[in-house]
Amino acid sequence: MSSRTSPISQPITIRRAVARDARRLTRLVRGSGAYAGKYAAAVEGYRVGPDYIEAHRTFVAVGADDHAGLVLGFYSLVLAPPELDLLFVADEAQGRGIGRLLVAHMQSEARAAGVDRLKVVSHRPAENFYHRVGAVRTGTALANPPAVPWDRPEFEFRISSE
């Protein structure tokens, strides 16, 4: 578990997700403003279940008042093959550096697991975010209708050995 401070000085803790977080993570995904309108089909019915949390390295960012049940964001790291599968920040928590903290944490986890490159298939509205946090554009993931009827940018994080 690591604790860092966001740009607005609220302590943020990143901890391993547990089964009881599943509903909160599912609500965060389905309620994401980035998936409103034409993008809604991609998350409609999406579920982050306890089995998913158990199978993948899933971490949540919470504020100092974690017992209140507020998840500020989360990510999921898949190791085989290495991929950042999910990364979401709650709409009300965006712009506070939480996404950047989650990416730094993810890179540390990937490094500890011996991963040197990590794929990301991005949601179109998140493309600029991935550029800003150091991901390199590598191509395009083609549409996969009906759930994802649009092409998506593909990125790679190159994990330094530090």
Side-chain angles (χ1 to χ4, degrees):
M1 188 156 79
S2 67
S3 187
R4 299 192 178 150
T5 303
S6 77
I8 63 164
S9 302
Q10 177 187 358
I12 304 294
T13 298
I14 298 175
R15 64 164 172 79
R16 188 76 184 248
V18 295
R20 73 176 182 274
D21 292 319
R23 284 187 181 164
R24 293 190 281 179
L25 302 186
T26 296
R27 278 194 304 270
L28 200 157
V29 170
R30 290 182 185 175
S32 173
Y35 285 89
K38 70 178 182 177
Y39 297 118
V43 296
E44 190 174 70
Y46 195 90
R47 181 177 171 266
V48 181
D51 52 337
Y52 180 90
I53 291 169
E54 179 70 28
H56 305 294
R57 293 177 185 219
T58 306
F59 291 85
V60 296
V62 295
D65 195 15
D66 183 22
H67 67 276
L70 180 64
V71 171
L72 302 172
F74 79 101
Y75 76 88
S76 177
L77 175 61
V78 175
L79 294 178
E83 181 174 4
L84 176 61
D85 187 37
L86 300 171
L87 173 65
F88 281 84
V89 174
D91 291 350
E92 64 274 10
Q94 290 186 8
R96 294 171 41 193
I98 294 165
R100 190 172 290 277
L101 288 174
L102 288 168
V103 166
H105 190 275
M106 176 274 302
Q107 289 173 316
S108 177
E109 285 292 314
R111 185 178 307 108
V115 170
D116 64 350
R117 292 174 184 265
L118 188 73
K119 176 182 163 182
V120 178
V121 177
S122 175
H123 180 45
R124 279 186 184 166
E127 186 171 2
N128 288 334
F129 167 77
Y130 285 111
H131 278 296
R132 288 192 311 269
V133 295
V136 176
R137 177 83 187 255
T138 57
T140 301
L142 299 177
N144 185 18
V148 186
W150 53 85
D151 293 346
R152 293 165 293 157
E154 210 169 83
F155 289 90
E156 182 177 82
F157 280 103
R158 294 175 182 149
I159 311 297
S160 65
S161 59
E162 286 186 341

